[in-house]
Amino acid sequence: MAATGTTPGTAYVVGTFDTKAEELLYVAGLLRAAGLSVVTIDVGTKTASAEADISAEAVAACHPEGADAVFAAGDRGAAVTAMTEALLGLVATRRDIGGMIGLGGSGGTSIIAPALRALPIGVPKLMVSTLAAGYVGPFVGVHDIAMMYPVTDIAGLNRLSRVILANAAHALTGMMTRPVPQPADSRPALGFSMFGVTTPCIQQLTERLSGDYECQVFHANGPGGRALEAIAGSGMLRGMVDLTTTEAADHLLGGVCTAGPERFDVVARTGIPWVGSCGALDMVNFWAPETIPERYRGRLFHAHNANVTLMRTTAEELEQIAAWICGKLNASSGPVRLLLPEGGVSALDAPGQKFHDPAADAALFAAFERHFAASADHLLVRVPHHINDPGFVEAAERHVRELM
């Protein structure tokens, strides 16, 4: 779905031509004037327009149930949802996309943003949206989408909107035509997950590996885990060194650092080599104490700071977490190494620290052994060290080098 080679590819201009044709054609004209090949796409759900290169009817026909799923939907919300799916279907068939720009209000942004997220990381993507001045997380996700606020509504050209839309067109032109400096570095890239309580482990490991691998570290705080998996899914990593899997605890137990139910799915989907562990599974993250759900009152907590409170996980909870992670990893056709640090899974879980609980850790390791489907290519390895100890780091390095 993306252009390859040395040419910039085609600039795709997407929006609802039944309400924003003037602005879309203005942006398309500026891109063509800059020397780019341009394709315009109509994702309107109301009236037909003949001004776009790809009509709304042609887009709607890419819906799995055909164009009627869009135009006979019965109400605007259903039509917008169906057009969103249809646009994704169309984008999946295009091989010349060098960049994409969308213009929209709430409906148009809802239709176009998923298509932008479907493009590979690194392909230029820009969304001019009346929602860009607010919370854009649901539209951007963990993808490299540039959001631009149009200041005025996208409802006709005027002396202000011409400037804003021209800046947007020229920004996309720059992204598509200016070469990205290519470093001489030819080291393959590895993606690492890290939390504050596993930082010593990751720092030691990346130092040992950095001579041979480019080490990209992601904060396991929810968005970080999603970003790690998005990069892995895009084919930009040789492998994942996922030693900090704490986001699973937050997902299952209602914490604030969840990466969602899709965490680890990329491992099964792609078969990417995976070396991981149970770093920071001794905790669930909440905000300030008053935000903690009532059902957890009376549990063991640690105040990380004034705004973040950590809760120690129990043996019963760790059983659930281990089973969930193993269910994901067992589905992978690629090589998997799951390392169990018998001395503790985080800085707070070390001997003498507040979350030190050998019985809970033993229950976690036993649960992993019960639920992990071991094979010649899927190994479960007990390591007699704490996760932040040099001995564990040495074992992790050995398995990374064997797999990668």
Side-chain angles (χ1 to χ4, degrees):
M1 64 177 67
T4 58
T6 58
T7 60
T10 299
Y12 279 69
V13 180
V14 189
T16 54
F17 273 76
D18 52 4
T19 60
K20 295 172 174 53
E22 185 180 23
E23 299 94 317
L24 290 159
L25 293 173
Y26 174 69
V27 168
L30 291 171
L31 293 168
R32 290 191 178 101
L36 289 172
S37 173
V38 177
V39 169
T40 55
I41 301 178
D42 182 10
V43 291
T45 60
K46 296 178 183 177
T47 58
S49 170
E51 298 177 280
D53 298 317
I54 301 178
S55 68
E57 290 83 356
V59 178
C62 295
H63 191 282
E65 299 176 12
D68 283 350
V70 176
F71 297 115
D75 65 75
R76 183 171 184 270
V80 166
T81 300
M83 183 61 89
T84 303
E85 187 173 0
L87 179 60
L88 283 169
L90 173 70
V91 167
T93 69
R94 313 298 288 194
R95 296 291 178 264
D96 62 341
I97 300 176
M100 183 177 289
I101 182 170
L103 277 60
S106 59
T109 304
S110 296
I111 293 170
I112 300 165
L116 296 174
R117 295 197 300 270
L119 297 175
I121 290 173
V123 173
K125 335 167 170 61
L126 197 157
M127 184 72 219
V128 184
S129 170
T130 57
L131 302 179
Y135 177 58
V136 299
F139 304 109
V140 175
V142 292
H143 300 270
D144 54 338
I145 299 172
M147 298 286 288
M148 180 179 284
Y149 186 56
V151 185
T152 64
D153 200 352
I154 306 175
L157 292 176
N158 54 58
R159 66 183 66 185
L160 177 58
S161 66
R162 282 188 175 89
V163 173
I164 303 296
L165 295 176
N167 285 341
H170 296 153
L172 187 70
T173 299
M175 287 189 278
M176 290 182 62
T177 60
R178 301 301 298 170
V180 177
Q182 296 299 315
D185 191 351
S186 60
R187 296 172 300 167
L190 300 178
F192 296 73
S193 57
M194 185 177 80
F195 222 37
V197 291
T198 61
T199 296
C201 170
I202 302 305
Q203 286 182 333
Q204 293 174 72
L205 185 56
T206 55
E207 182 177 356
R208 298 171 74 105
L209 292 170
S210 60
D212 300 304
Y213 298 95
E214 179 184 83
C215 299
Q216 301 178 11
V217 180
F218 298 81
H219 192 190
N221 61 350
R226 294 197 300 273
L228 167 60
E229 299 210 339
I231 295 290
S234 71
M236 299 174 68
L237 297 178
R238 171 69 60 84
M240 295 173 64
V241 187
D242 198 1
L243 299 179
T244 310
T245 48
T246 187
E247 290 155 319
D250 280 56
H251 168 63
L252 293 172
L253 301 177
V256 298
C257 289
T258 173
E262 296 83 15
R263 186 69 164 92
F264 308 105
D265 283 354
V266 71
V267 184
R269 187 172 67 251
T270 66
I272 186 172
W274 188 91
V275 176
S277 187
C278 42
L281 285 183
D282 57 324
M283 63 187 63
V284 180
N285 296 264
F286 298 103
W287 300 132
E290 59 270 18
T291 69
I292 298 171
E294 183 64 33
R295 67 182 182 277
Y296 292 133
R297 301 297 177 184
R299 294 283 296 272
L300 177 60
F301 294 100
H302 171 74
H304 182 64
N305 57 47
N307 298 310
V308 177
T309 308
L310 312 177
M311 181 182 76
R312 195 7 164 144
T313 45
T314 66
E316 293 77 13
E317 291 164 345
L318 291 168
E319 167 81 28
Q320 178 188 4
I321 294 165
W324 188 78
I325 293 175
C326 288
K328 302 275 190 165
L329 298 178
N330 292 344
S332 176
S333 61
V336 170
R337 302 289 185 274
L338 178 57
L339 312 182
L340 304 181
E342 294 179 312
V345 300
S346 86
L348 279 177
D349 187 34
Q353 298 301 311
K354 193 168 186 178
F355 282 179
H356 182 57
D357 187 342
D361 286 349
L364 172 66
F365 304 147
F368 271 118
E369 288 189 321
R370 280 194 301 276
H371 297 288
F372 186 80
S375 68
D377 218 17
H378 282 209
L379 301 183
L380 184 74
V381 182
R382 281 182 174 261
V383 182
H385 298 283
H386 186 275
I387 195 168
N388 290 327
D389 286 349
F392 180 85
V393 174
E394 291 172 8
E397 179 191 11
R398 183 172 65 254
H399 286 281
V400 167
R401 291 189 180 278
E402 286 177 0
L403 256 64
M404 310 301 174

